[in-house]
């Protein structure tokens, strides 16, 4: 990013989900990506994610939108910065890199992102997602706060 239309490629991968989408996000503020995930959720795909707590409750974060729509959303439970930028799709695809799920990453920042189709790698990242999910905190009420 920004010269390779990276977000469009991420959304295209999300659009192919059949079973589940799991993500871990330091910053997730991109409306189009959240809408694509919710469209898949509305078609029966399980959607879950862990957000970095700092910034999850801002007006730009997609946390509230996903939480309100019934996605399995939680906040990181560690005392350090949760700096993950990963999407796991159906146990076959992993999207990762320095690319935050934001317009700045897509349009302004010099970022990298890989979309890897490998079940072994997807399994390893799914294990990390499950480990982080166990440590995470369910948001208070309907807001993305601890």
């Amino acid at each position: 990013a920004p010269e390779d239309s990276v977000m469009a490629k991420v959304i295209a991968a999300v659009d192919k989900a059949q079973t589940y989408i799991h993500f871990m996000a330091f910053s997730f503020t991109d409306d189009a990506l959240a809408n694509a995930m919710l469209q898949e959720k509305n078609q029966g795909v399980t959607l879950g994610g862990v957000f970095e707590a700092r910034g999850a409750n801002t007006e730009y974060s997609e946390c509230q939108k996903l939480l309100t729509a019934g996605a399995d959303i939680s906040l990181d439970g560690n005392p350090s910065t949760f700096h993950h930028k990963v999407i796991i799709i159906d146990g076959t695809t992993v999207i990762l890199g320095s690319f935050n799920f934001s317009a700045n990453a897509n349009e302004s920042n010099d970022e990298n992102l890989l979309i890897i189709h490998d079940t072994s790698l997807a399994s390893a990242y799914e294990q990390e997602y499950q480990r982080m999910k166990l440590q995470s905190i369910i948001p208070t009420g309907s807001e993305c706060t601890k």
Side-chain angles (χ1 to χ4, degrees):
E3 59 275 344
D4 290 329
S5 302
V6 173
M7 188 60 75
K9 292 173 176 70
V10 173
I11 290 170
V14 164
D15 287 345
K16 293 177 184 170
Q18 298 292 310
T19 308
Y20 71 84
I21 302 166
H22 290 156
F23 66 86
M24 299 178 282
F26 170 70
S27 175
F28 186 169
T29 59
D30 191 85
D31 286 336
L33 179 57
N35 290 339
M37 288 180 172
L38 288 175
Q39 182 176 346
E40 294 306 308
K41 180 188 175 302
N42 291 338
Q43 295 176 0
V45 172
T46 300
L47 175 60
V50 180
F51 279 80
E52 160 61 43
R54 181 178 33 129
N57 204 37
T58 67
E59 65 181 297
Y60 302 107
S61 176
E62 297 298 324
C63 185
Q64 186 70 43
K65 177 192 285 188
L66 297 174
L67 182 65
T68 302
D72 181 17
I73 300 301
S74 56
L75 306 173
D76 76 289
N78 67 50
S80 303
T81 300
F82 187 75
H83 212 242
H84 288 50
K85 297 143 186 177
V86 177
I87 301 172
I88 308 129
I89 302 170
D90 295 341
T92 60
T93 303
V94 180
I95 301 169
L96 68 139
S98 68
F99 187 86
N100 283 307
F101 310 129
S102 68
N104 278 344
N106 193 48
E107 299 165 7
S108 303
N109 300 347
D110 187 11
E111 302 281 0
N112 66 72
L113 180 119
L114 296 171
I115 300 175
I116 303 170
H117 305 283
D118 181 277
T119 56
S120 295
L121 185 65
S123 177
Y125 271 97
E126 181 63 22
Q127 287 176 21
E128 176 67 1
Y129 171 79
Q130 294 300 331
R131 188 174 77 82
M132 292 294 99
K133 194 75 171 158
L134 285 174
Q135 294 177 11
S136 69
I137 298 166
I138 296 175
T140 306
S142 62
E143 293 193 16
C144 290
T145 59
K146 289 183 179 181

